[in-house]
């Protein structure tokens, strides 16, 4: 990116903010702590209501890492009208990481004085598809990174190792060893480096049955580390966003990576 | 699968016989309450000794019906010790017990004979399929100085639980 366009990039960050107001996206595993090898099933959806389905989330970027660090078997991938679903074979003792990635390019532009946005796979096809009269176009790489964990028997760490790509959660507290009233520590890395000062929001499940969202936010320290004390048992939605002007494609103004994790907290 | 608990049950008297003559006694009398419910399954029950910081000093036993699928429902036992084990589980294992009072005598278990002196709690956890879960704790000092009993009464899944200590 040219130095002269830094101001434009900063503007782009502001301009692109509305796209950040998308639905929450999440994975919801049927089981996270099990005492024998078994299949589990996972729902995934994009919705405002945690954890109630609304729109299906594409499964193209699905990957499951087993306790041996190798890909684990999935089955019955289905995209329904209101949610997507798949099964995961927890075939061996240890921890599985379930990740769903969705990289998109988003164009923001003005048309007849109104702001519009269009999602696509690459900058060129977005440019080609731009309607006549569109102006002030900005492009952003927007990656959704959905994640959750499940464990057979004792928790293990092999599947938790960071890949040093994108925005990642590195658990200091094991994600399948979370209990009400206890404090968990998680660390965020961006491209393998501490995501210092990252803002993380956390929300307990069940928004449909209460009046307030009850979400709270925490800020990562210089090491990208956060502490979360779980007020009660249940499943929690965690979201962290990282953005800068270092998009991979030269034509793209900024990049934004959203990590959206689901964590189950058990009663003691 | 049956041989798993059979072997433990058969082994127990041998352990007692083989232990030192002065082996201190630690036994639990546990009441499985009779419950008026439409669907009743006998509870899974786990016994262990914990230190003051809740870490496990000695796993003592497990009553279950060889269905490992439900062991996670003994939530505390699972977290503190069960999930790190595989069958045969540590201590005396046996089948679930029907309503009534049952004795589990852990006297002479190797984990007990090597237990360092200190203050401990015996933890008893019960979990019942389509039912509830309950944990009770009974404090004691080891080694036993004089004969003593400690009784705690559960409120749901456990009735009277009595720990009998003999020097």
């Amino acid at each position: 990116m040219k130095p002269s366009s830094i101001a434009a990039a900063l503007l782009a960050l502001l301009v692109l903010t509305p796209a950040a107001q998308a639905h929450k996206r999440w994975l919801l595993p049927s089981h996270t702590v099990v005492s024998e090898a078994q299949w589990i099933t996972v729902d995934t959806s994009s919705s405002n209501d945690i954890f109630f389905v609304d729109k299906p989330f594409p499964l193209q970027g699905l990957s499951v890492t087993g306790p041996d660090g190798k890909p684990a078997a999935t089955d019955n991938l289905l995209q329904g009208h209101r949610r997507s679903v798949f099964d995961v074979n927890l075939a061996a003792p240890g921890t599985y990481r379930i990740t769903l990635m969705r990289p998109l390019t988003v164009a923001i532009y003005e048309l007849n004085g109104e702001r519009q946005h269009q999602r696509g796979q690459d900058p060129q096809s977005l440019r080609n598809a731009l309607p006549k009269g569109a102006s002030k176009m900005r492009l952003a790489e927007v990656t959704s990174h959905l994640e959750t964990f499940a464990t057979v028997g004792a928790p293990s760490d092999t599947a938790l190792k960071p890949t040093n790509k994108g925005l990642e959660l590195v658990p200091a507290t094991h994600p399948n060893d979370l209990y009400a009233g206890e404090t968990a520590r998680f660390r965020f890395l961006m491209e393998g480096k501490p995501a210092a000062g990252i803002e993380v929001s956390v929300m307990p499940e069940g928004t449909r049955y209460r009046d307030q969202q009850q979400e709270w936010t925490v800020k990562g320290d210089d090491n990208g580390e956060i502490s979360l004390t779980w007020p009660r048992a249940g499943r929690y939605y965690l979201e962290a966003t990282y953005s800068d002007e270092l998009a991979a494609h030269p034509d793209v103004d900024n990049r934004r990576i959203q990590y959206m994790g689901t964590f189950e907290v058990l009663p003691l | 699968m049956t041989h798993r608990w059979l072997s433990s049950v058969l082994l127990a008297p041998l352990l007692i016989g083989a232990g030192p003559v002065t082996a201190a006694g630690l036994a639990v009398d546990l009441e499985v309450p009779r419950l008026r419910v439409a669907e009743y399954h006998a509870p899974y029950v786990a016994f262990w000794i914990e230190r003051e910081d809740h870490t496990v000093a000695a796993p003592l036993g497990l009553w279950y019906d060889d269905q490992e699928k439900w062991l996670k429902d003994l939530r505390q036992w699972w977290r503190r010790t069960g999930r790190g084990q595989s069958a045969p589980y540590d201590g005396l294992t046996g089948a679930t017990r029907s309503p009534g009072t049952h004795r589990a005598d852990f006297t002479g278990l190797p984990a007990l004979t090597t237990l360092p002196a200190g203050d401990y709690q015996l933890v008893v956890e019960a979990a019942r399929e389509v039912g509830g879960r309950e944990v009770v704790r009974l404090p004691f000092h080891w080694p036993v100085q004089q004969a003593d009993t400690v009784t705690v009464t559960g409120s749901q899944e456990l009735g009277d639980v009595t720990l009998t200590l003999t020097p």
Side-chain angles (χ1 to χ4, degrees), chain A residues 33 35 154 177 179 182, chain B residues 68-69 72 75 79 83 133:
Chain A
V33 172
S35 42
D177 194 24
Y179 290 83
E182 295 189 353
Chain B
E68 298 188 341
K69 183 175 179 180
K72 65 175 175 58
R75 287 194 215 111
R79 184 191 193 196
R83 70 187 187 187
R133 185 192 74 113

Side-chain angles (χ1 to χ4, degrees), chain A residues 155-169:
Chain A
S156 67
D157 293 333
T158 303
L160 308 181
K161 283 182 188 145
T163 62
N164 297 333
K165 286 180 199 146
L167 180 63
E168 293 181 286
L169 178 143

Side-chain angles (χ1 to χ4, degrees), chain A residues 23-95:
Chain A
H23 284 16
K24 295 174 173 63
R25 284 139 280 161
W26 42 264
L27 293 163
L28 188 67
S30 58
H31 305 74
T32 61
V33 172
V34 298
S35 42
E36 68 177 0
Q38 60 197 264
W39 286 89
I40 62 166
T41 188
V42 183
D43 282 339
T44 178
S45 180
S46 162
S47 79
N48 286 333
D49 222 358
I50 297 298
F51 287 98
F52 296 95
V53 301
D54 189 3
K55 296 170 181 176
F57 193 89
L59 296 176
Q60 280 79 2
L62 175 65
S63 65
V64 181
T65 306
D68 55 0
K70 295 180 179 135
T74 56
D75 197 9
N76 297 320
L77 275 69
L78 164 84
Q79 183 169 327
H81 289 287
R82 303 302 293 267
R83 56 98 174 81
S84 302
V85 66
F86 55 93
D87 297 333
V88 178
N89 192 7
L90 307 182
T95 298

